[in-house]
Amino acid sequence: MDFVPYGRNVQEKIKAKEFEPTFAKHILDFEKIQKCLACKAFPKYSPLGLCRYHEFCFKYGWYQEFPDKQYIPPPQNLIANPPTSYDILVKMFGYQEFQDMQEIAISSYVNGKHTFISMRTGAGKTMCYWISAILREGLTVVISPLVSLIDDQVIETIAAGIGCASIYTGKHQPPQYFEKVFSEIAIGLIKILYITAESFINNSSFTRMLLNFAKYAPVSFVIDEVHCIIECKHFRESWSKLRKISTFFPSSPIMMLTGTCKESDAYLILENLGLASNDVAFVRGLSFSRPELTMKMHPKSTKEKTIGEIITLLKELNEGKCIIYCPTVRICDDVYEQLQEKSGLGLPMAVYYSSLDSEEKKKLKSWKENTIQLIIATNAFGMGLNDKKVRLVIHYSFPLSIGNLVQETGRAGRDHNPAKCIIFYTRHDICTNYTIITQSRESITEDMNDSFEANKRKEYLAKACEKIFEVVHFCEEQYICREQMLAEYFAWNGDNLSPPCAHCDNCLRVQAELVHEVDVKTDAIKMVGVVEEIINKLRESGKLISPKDIIQVYCQLKCDNEELTSLNIYHETRKKIVRTKADAQHLLDWLIIRGMVKIMINLYRPNPNGNTLQTNIHIVGVIEGVTAIVMEKNWKMWLCHSRR
Ligand SMILES: Nc1ncnc2c1ncn2[C@@H]1O[C@H](COP(=O)(O)OP(=O)(O)OP(=O)(O)O)[C@@H](O)[C@H]1O
């Protein structure tokens, strides 16, 4: 494919005054407005007749950026020095200061270095690649996880005055559309191209076009929400194939953006992308704290009660907007119906999930225009969404992972004013979440053979259990500051912990109750002793061990399985710091998420012909040398004085 004719075609259209850019529909009154003399696409902004971006280019003598090659700029005194990233921030976007680590991130990437950027939600990561795309010549390709997110990104980018387009598979993008996008890239009108990982991996004509373009001008890459490489690789294969970037475009720098990434995951991401860590600059935000957010767990009981509690929360909403996250489409519809019926609030509301048809998805427009105040959605909604009016985020069931929790709650308070995040929590939702993660595939892993596929699935299921228990542990913790827990979860080596937020439910509880931080190492050692003894006892009979068995033996309570009362450890007299069932459960969860006690969640159908799925949680073992490993760790736990 020869790239040059594309440019020629569009130049002819411009000359014949027949040119309409692919993004015309995002420009208000496109037909009527006076257009920029240099691009014939964006509205005229300056007295010279140029749009904001081309006026900026004009001042610095960047005439090669003018898409209409016939346009001859008037003579002028050029600004002597080339623009800095700060000049662009101020002159193009109207901001006076960089936020967080934006400037350092931009400088690294513009200098051609692969740059891994991890900054809190709402820190302004988009700006990092917008400014870079202007400073670097050629095209910036942004790989983004969701079509709905790409649609939003395109609207925002056009509103900011930067030429962009999107590529994903769908009936709204026929072959003629691709041809048109290629032409606009060829004349330099499009600076940023948003694309899904699937299109980037599978659209071979796009790859050919890009390789061809790279012969004429630099191509740079951005992977937005780069943690998807870890989180989506099992069900969206394309995310595991993004090494294609470094293979096909070895001299292009890659900017990797995330709000939530553990250090170990960052290295796995680089490995997946075929990048050596020495070749990558890591830029991490100054703080991951979101002081404007107040997080609270709410025990979840019956559906009626939960809906009633949600209605009370909604009554306090006033002008603000709310997102209710539900785990499944069925639950979204159900909550929507319940709220419609019972609320009497007259609150304009809608549902959103990826399987809605495009007509129904149009309601999203009303959300953006603020005529819908409440959206009830699956996690298909909201990733990267930047809506400053969201004052309340409710989780009808606990989030699928700590990463999801941060991303989803991160939609609130984006104007830096106070906002609430409420999670309705019950252990019963473990089943729902596990069903989603495993895509309802029954998972009796003991029966699996040893094939490569089966091992991959086992590994995936083990990871899924770990993620669920991480959230369970987070939700059930009563005293440690929620913000500190999240900061610790995502902490990298050498990070300092910020002080407690003083306004989450746990901080308030610590202020209200008499609590003590105590060392429970001896209890942790005892608990793994209990696990080992029970396993030894029941190994022969092949009986399954539940967390309840461990708690009953540890707390020396009446055992459901009477056999266990014959264990020595059951009768041992000892001084316990962790005494109540709830605290013992919390300690066991801690052992599980630290990988010391191994569990398995088993998804099964109680009635083979029915649709209902249930879960059993089994304890399957401890890691080798567990006692020594427990001894090495810190086991400081907050306990309520009155419970001790
Ligand atoms: N330097 C700046 N000064 C003031 N506001 C800024 C600056 N840079 C970006 N912003 C604004 O910050 C808001 C959040 O930016 P953005 O959507 O890029 O956040 P993000 O880091 O991508 O968050 P998330 O991870 O949640 O998607 C936007 O409204 C953006 O215009």
Side-chain angles (χ1 to χ4, degrees):
M1 182 200 296
D2 184 5
F3 198 76
V4 178
Y6 279 110
R8 247 185 252 131
N9 294 346
V10 74
Q11 286 297 343
E12 276 161 23
K13 288 227 165 199
I14 289 178
K15 215 164 153 189
K17 296 195 172 29
E18 286 171 0
F19 177 63
E20 188 181 305
T22 43
F23 52 79
K25 64 173 184 236
H26 299 303
I27 295 180
L28 196 66
D29 291 330
F30 181 80
E31 297 292 324
K32 296 182 207 150
I33 53 162
Q34 265 193 300
K35 301 189 183 66
C36 168
L37 297 173
C39 69
K40 310 290 189 287
F42 282 101
K44 173 187 154 185
Y45 161 83
S46 75
L48 264 183
L50 299 173
C51 66
R52 192 156 11 136
Y53 176 60
H54 291 111
E55 170 79 11
F56 178 84
C57 297
F58 171 74
K59 287 190 178 145
Y60 287 91
W62 285 2
Y63 304 141
Q64 77 286 356
E65 287 292 308
F66 294 168
D68 181 359
K69 302 300 172 208
Q70 307 292 315
Y71 171 69
I72 300 172
Q76 60 154 340
N77 292 329
L78 295 180
I79 298 178
N81 297 320
T84 61
S85 54
Y86 183 70
D87 294 330
I88 300 177
L89 181 79
V90 177
K91 292 178 190 160
M92 270 294 293
F93 302 108
Y95 292 122
Q96 296 311 311
E97 277 173 28
F98 278 113
Q99 279 185 168
D100 212 320
M101 300 296 276
Q102 282 176 326
E103 190 172 18
I104 291 170
I106 294 166
S107 151
S108 154
Y109 181 66
V110 168
N111 286 321
K113 187 112 178 141
H114 301 306
T115 307
F116 190 102
I117 305 169
S118 174
M119 293 199 290
R120 64 176 172 77
T121 51
K125 293 183 281 296
T126 310
M127 193 58 75
C128 296
Y129 67 80
W130 277 2
I131 293 182
S132 305
I134 294 175
L135 278 173
R136 284 185 65 81
E137 266 177 74
L139 179 71
T140 297
V141 177
V142 180
I143 295 165
S144 198
L146 297 172
V147 170
S148 57
L149 174 59
I150 291 183
D151 288 343
D152 274 351
Q153 287 169 321
V154 168
I155 292 170
E156 282 195 27
T157 314
I158 297 298
I162 309 168
C164 74
S166 60
I167 290 191
Y168 46 78
T169 36
K171 54 178 184 287
H172 300 298
Q173 297 196 332
Q176 306 88 290
Y177 169 83
F178 292 120
E179 301 267 305
K180 207 165 171 213
V181 168
F182 295 171
S183 319
E184 291 173 7
I185 292 172
I187 61 165
L189 177 63
I190 284 177
K191 304 286 305 166
I192 299 179
L193 185 76
Y194 294 98
I195 188 165
T196 53
E198 284 72 13
S199 287
F200 180 73
I201 296 301
N202 303 321
N203 186 333
S204 50
S205 62
F206 173 72
T207 307
R208 279 198 303 279
M209 184 286 289
L210 208 56
L211 285 167
N212 210 323
F213 180 81
K215 291 182 200 154
Y216 299 87
V219 178
S220 317
F221 288 89
V222 174
I223 310 178
D224 198 10
E225 313 288 359
V226 73
H227 51 270
C228 290
I229 290 185
I230 304 293
E231 283 173 16
C232 303
K233 65 178 178 191
H234 293 281
F235 51 97
R236 288 179 67 183
E237 238 197 337
S238 300
W239 277 92
S240 62
K241 294 183 176 170
L242 292 177
R243 179 185 285 255
K244 178 174 173 180
I245 304 175
S246 55
T247 314
F248 281 61
F249 302 91
S251 51
S252 294
I254 307 176
M255 177 187 280
M256 294 151 271
L257 293 170
T258 177
T260 47
C261 192
K262 287 179 163 189
E263 189 169 13
S264 52
D265 285 347
Y267 288 102
L268 281 178
I269 288 170
L270 299 189
E271 199 184 312
N272 247 279
L273 291 171
L275 304 178
S277 56
N278 288 344
D279 295 336
V280 177
F282 291 94
V283 179
R284 296 189 61 243
L286 296 169
S287 158
F288 284 80
S289 147
R290 294 279 316 266
E292 59 278 9
L293 301 185
T294 298
M295 204 173 281
K296 191 174 173 204
M297 293 306 128
H298 219 301
K300 183 172 168 186
S301 54
T302 61
K303 186 161 86 181
E304 279 68 32
K305 204 157 171 244
T306 308
I307 295 290
E309 283 159 346
I310 291 178
I311 292 171
T312 309
L313 289 165
L314 292 175
K315 281 186 179 153
E316 296 164 5
L317 200 55
N318 299 324
E319 299 286 285
K321 289 158 88 175
C322 168
I323 306 172
I324 302 181
Y325 281 109
C326 296
T328 64
V329 168
R330 191 182 54 74
I331 299 176
C332 277
D333 286 337
D334 192 29
V335 170
Y336 175 77
E337 268 169 38
Q338 299 279 329
L339 288 177
Q340 283 278 23
E341 258 175 43
K342 298 199 180 131
S343 72
L345 291 167
L347 204 67
M349 60 178 91
V351 283
Y352 184 90
Y353 33 79
S354 48
S355 57
L356 285 182
D357 63 33
S358 49
E359 260 320 292
E360 286 171 303
K361 277 188 182 161
K362 280 194 184 143
K363 283 192 194 141
L364 257 195
K365 203 162 168 262
S366 315
W367 164 266
K368 282 172 200 149
E369 288 164 355
N370 303 323
T371 48
I372 282 181
Q373 221 182 329
L374 164 64
I375 202 129
I376 301 151
T378 61
N379 63 8
F381 180 77
M383 197 191 278
L385 181 103
N386 183 35
D387 186 322
K388 294 196 160 64
K389 285 187 177 265
V390 179
R391 298 262 70 82
L392 177 64
V393 168
I394 296 176
H395 278 87
Y396 186 76
S397 298
F398 67 85
L400 289 181
S401 69
I402 297 283
N404 280 58
L405 185 147
V406 174
Q407 287 292 336
E408 287 152 23
T409 54
R411 298 312 106 204
R414 311 243 330 166
D415 57 358
H416 307 294
N417 287 320
K420 281 188 194 163
C421 306
I422 311 285
I423 298 176
F424 282 89
Y425 175 76
T426 164
R427 269 192 179 232
H428 291 302
D429 288 333
I430 291 179
C431 181
T432 319
N433 285 9
Y434 192 69
T435 310
I436 295 167
I437 294 178
T438 56
Q439 295 160 311
S440 299
R441 278 169 56 189
E442 285 142 285
S443 52
I444 307 164
T445 51
E446 295 116 295
D447 293 348
M448 282 181 172
N449 56 26
D450 235 8
S451 70
F452 177 70
E453 277 311 310
N455 282 331
K456 244 172 73 179
R457 175 103 181 129
K458 276 186 207 167
E459 192 194 316
Y460 174 66
L461 293 174
K463 198 84 202 146
C465 292
E466 196 183 305
K467 281 192 179 298
I468 286 180
F469 269 81
E470 282 169 356
V471 190
V472 166
H473 191 71
F474 175 87
C475 293
E476 289 184 4
E477 173 58 52
Q478 302 261 303
Y479 301 113
I480 304 176
C481 168
R482 302 254 171 233
E483 206 174 280
Q484 277 193 327
M485 276 194 278
L486 295 176
E488 198 175 343
Y489 182 84
F490 289 110
W492 287 30
N493 211 353
D495 280 0
N496 291 324
L497 266 195
S498 47
C501 75
H503 52 80
C504 70
D505 53 351
N506 286 359
C507 284
L508 297 182
R509 201 173 286 119
V510 168
Q511 288 158 25
E513 291 180 17
L514 203 51
V515 293
H516 291 268
E517 198 185 27
V518 278
D519 189 339
V520 297
K521 190 178 281 180
T522 45
D523 298 62
I525 294 170
K526 192 53 67 187
M527 196 170 275
V528 290
V530 168
V531 177
E532 282 177 315
E533 273 206 35
I534 296 183
I535 289 173
N536 288 339
K537 171 93 185 160
L538 298 186
R539 185 175 289 141
E540 294 291 282
S541 62
K543 280 194 187 140
L544 298 173
I545 304 160
S546 73
K548 207 165 161 197
D549 293 328
I550 310 291
I551 303 304
Q552 286 171 344
V553 173
Y554 173 87
C555 293
Q556 296 164 305
L557 302 167
K558 186 171 179 311
C559 292
D560 292 356
N561 180 352
E562 280 177 14
E563 264 179 277
L564 298 180
T565 52
S566 66
L567 293 172
N568 290 337
I569 208 159
Y570 181 78
H571 296 282
E572 220 175 64
T573 40
R574 59 179 190 267
K575 195 171 169 321
K576 289 193 223 82
I577 299 171
V578 174
R579 290 171 176 209
T580 66
K581 268 203 297 191
D583 289 340
Q585 179 69 66
H586 201 52
L587 180 59
L588 178 59
D589 291 345
W590 204 4
L591 285 159
I592 292 169
I593 62 174
R594 285 183 150 189
M596 294 168 193
V597 171
K598 298 283 174 200
I599 59 157
M600 198 171 80
I601 301 180
N602 185 16
L603 195 63
Y604 67 99
R605 281 175 211 279
N607 172 356
N609 302 322
N611 280 333
T612 322
L613 283 161
Q614 285 187 3
T615 44
N616 275 331
I617 298 168
H618 303 141
I619 305 286
V620 290
V622 289
I623 48 164
E624 219 175 291
V626 66
T627 311
I629 297 168
V630 171
M631 303 261 276
E632 276 169 20
K633 299 265 178 202
N634 171 7
W635 293 96
K636 291 273 171 63
M637 188 167 162
W638 286 91
L639 294 176
C640 180
H641 191 65
S642 57
R643 286 209 214 138
R644 295 184 55 205

